[in-house]
Amino acid sequence: MTQIKSEVKQIEELRQLLQQASYAYYVLDTPIMEDTVYDRLYRELQQMEIEHPELVRLDSPTQRVGEKPAIHFTSVRHNIPLYSLENAFNIDELQSWEQRWRRQLPTTDAVEYVSELKIDGSAIALTYENGILVRGATRGDGVMGEDITQNVRTIRSIPLRLNLTDLENLEKVEVRGEAFLPLDVFKQINEERQKAGEQLFANPRNAAAGTLRQLDSRIVAKRRLDFFAYTLHISGRDDASIANTQWEALELLEKMGFRVNPNHKLCASLAEVAEYYQYWDTERLNLPYMTDGVVVKLNSFKLQEQLGFTQKFPRWAVALKYPAEEAPTRVENIAVNV
Ligand SMILES: CC(C)(C)c1nc(N2CCN(c3ncccn3)CC2)c2cc(C(N)=O)c(N)nc2n1
């Protein structure tokens, strides 16, 4: 093997090993190597990439943290709009939501719902072309958002390249999900801001939104944002061929390499949704991130398509919120003892 070839191979193997280690650590929460080993190998890859800049690839782990701060964010149009969610504040309102969609689409078939914890962060839209992350944008008004690609690349649980092993190369994939700050990170950031005499973030949602709109991606990288994916659109093919339901879409997102919130549940009736909602009302206070409700979705994409959207939101989903007083007291506790 010529000298160059062996170095190319070495860089390839090192990059793949670090990508696997990063995926295992940030997405699966199951580290496969000691941090010190990762850091040493990372520095080795950095050194090799300095010697062979022509071999650097967009999806190399060394390409997550940007250099110079952006001057401003350009505004971009979402390929597929991001809709809002209708709110329901209790089980009665959830039931009237079900009656409404059933009036529009009388069906005698058994209907399944997917219940997902509503992560209290900031919604973002990711675009992948031929498996590579090419754009990250804020939700904005749902039609236009801000291009925050450089900042999104610093979120370690967001894959820079999709794991498409058992899926043929998908030309364009749109993924939506919630970027959020884990509570311990939120607390630590507020401690730092307190020491620096800066204004504190009122809650993890504002802290996440504020961090995503930071012009200097090196600051974003230090803040350890995390991400749960919940929507997948595959253009250039009809999604149905690979995912027919929300449940399958969540499984596919995991296969592609995304973090999906592990607490989603397939519910055979609203009664089961109500049970899930009651259970997590207290249980969620033990989670390491903020939630503010449960998102209830009709599982079948066929039914979703038949119901469609109003001007603002899908008829086939609803945000079943928890009473607000829970969150601030808990967050205020954190803010107070920083
Ligand atoms: C794809 C749909 C529209 C059904 C949808 N929309 C969501 N949201 C819309 C409103 N959003 C919003 N954000 C700011 C202003 C107005 N609306 C914030 C995201 C979802 C949010 C979460 C979550 N947080 O965990 C989730 N598991 N599933 C969602 N699913």
Side-chain angles (χ1 to χ4, degrees):
M1 177 101 78
T2 63
Q3 172 63 18
I4 285 291
K5 238 170 151 200
S6 67
E7 262 160 5
V8 171
K9 205 161 162 10
Q10 238 185 331
I11 285 191
E12 269 293 319
E13 279 159 9
L14 194 46
R15 177 170 48 234
Q16 263 157 27
L17 175 62
L18 287 169
Q19 270 166 339
Q20 266 149 16
S22 179
Y23 171 72
Y25 188 93
Y26 291 106
V27 178
L28 304 180
D29 286 343
T30 47
I32 55 174
M33 70 171 72
E34 291 297 317
D35 292 4
T36 47
V37 172
Y38 182 90
D39 294 346
R40 180 172 54 74
L41 292 173
Y42 183 90
R43 279 194 301 278
E44 246 178 68
L45 178 61
Q46 268 183 318
Q47 190 46 42
M48 290 167 83
E49 287 181 346
I50 289 168
E51 283 153 21
H52 296 282
E54 74 287 358
L55 296 175
V56 178
R57 282 191 2 192
L58 249 183
D59 63 325
S60 168
T62 59
Q63 303 307 305
R64 277 197 181 276
V65 191
E67 281 79 37
K68 53 196 177 313
I71 308 295
H72 64 88
F73 293 117
T74 48
S75 142
V76 288
R77 179 174 295 278
H78 295 298
N79 304 321
I80 300 165
L82 284 90
Y83 287 89
S84 282
L85 274 171
E86 185 181 355
N87 286 333
F89 293 97
N90 54 51
I91 300 299
D92 286 353
E93 294 185 9
L94 178 71
Q95 279 161 347
S96 59
W97 166 74
E98 179 178 70
Q99 276 139 28
R100 249 175 295 134
W101 75 255
R102 281 189 181 279
R103 256 200 307 282
Q104 172 168 350
L105 193 74
T107 166
T108 51
D109 304 346
V111 155
E112 281 178 324
Y113 293 105
V114 174
S115 295
E116 301 170 12
L117 289 182
K118 188 168 183 298
I119 310 304
D120 197 7
S122 193
I124 57 175
L126 307 174
T127 306
Y128 289 80
E129 283 172 5
N130 295 318
I132 298 284
L133 176 66
V134 294
R135 194 173 86 180
T138 61
R139 181 184 183 285
D141 62 7
V143 176
M144 302 295 285
E146 285 172 314
D147 185 327
I148 53 166
T149 306
Q150 197 46 55
N151 287 349
V152 160
R153 292 174 61 85
T154 70
I155 303 175
R156 269 78 167 175
S157 52
I158 290 181
L160 297 176
R161 163 190 284 279
L162 296 179
N163 172 23
L164 292 172
T165 37
D166 52 349
L167 295 157
E168 51 282 21
N169 211 352
L170 300 166
E171 45 285 24
K172 200 159 198 169
V173 175
E174 291 279 337
V175 171
R176 277 87 199 270
E178 204 80 3
F180 65 96
L181 267 179
L183 286 168
D184 57 344
V185 177
F186 165 69
K187 190 176 163 192
Q188 184 220 327
I189 289 174
N190 260 350
E191 275 167 5
E192 285 159 13
R193 290 173 77 91
Q194 170 107 30
K195 280 193 198 104
E198 287 162 2
Q199 197 187 358
L200 302 191
F201 283 119
N203 54 52
R205 179 184 58 250
N206 292 1
T211 302
L212 283 170
R213 304 189 65 252
Q214 249 295 334
L215 288 166
D216 187 346
S217 61
R218 287 167 299 188
I219 296 176
V220 182
K222 287 201 193 79
R223 290 208 180 145
R224 289 278 187 260
L225 278 165
D226 206 333
F227 176 76
F228 282 126
Y230 51 68
T231 294
L232 171 68
H233 291 286
I234 295 166
S235 54
R237 304 175 38 132
D238 63 330
D239 299 18
S241 57
I242 8 191
N244 296 301
T245 66
Q246 174 63 4
W247 190 262
E248 285 170 9
L250 292 172
E251 286 178 333
L252 191 51
L253 282 164
E254 276 181 322
K255 243 188 252 163
M256 286 176 160
F258 291 95
R259 268 197 95 188
V260 169
N261 191 276
N263 303 309
H264 54 282
K265 184 172 188 288
L266 200 52
C267 299
S269 67
L270 274 199
E272 278 188 38
V273 171
E275 207 177 302
Y276 175 94
Y277 173 69
Q278 251 103 39
Y279 171 78
W280 284 106
D281 189 8
T282 47
E283 201 50 39
R284 70 198 174 102
L285 300 177
N286 303 325
L287 291 171
Y289 45 82
M290 284 286 268
T291 57
D292 61 345
V294 167
V295 185
V296 185
K297 304 172 183 180
L298 273 173
N299 191 33
S300 148
F301 282 167
K302 186 163 149 281
L303 284 180
Q304 289 185 13
E305 229 169 277
Q306 288 170 328
L307 281 167
F309 299 81
T310 68
Q311 198 58 28
K312 282 192 340 178
F313 30 69
R315 292 192 185 88
W316 42 266
V318 65
L320 178 54
K321 308 282 290 213
Y322 288 117
E325 73 274 359
E326 298 290 316
T329 37
R330 191 148 68 98
V331 171
E332 263 146 23
N333 291 341
I334 293 173
V336 161
N337 60 30
V338 288

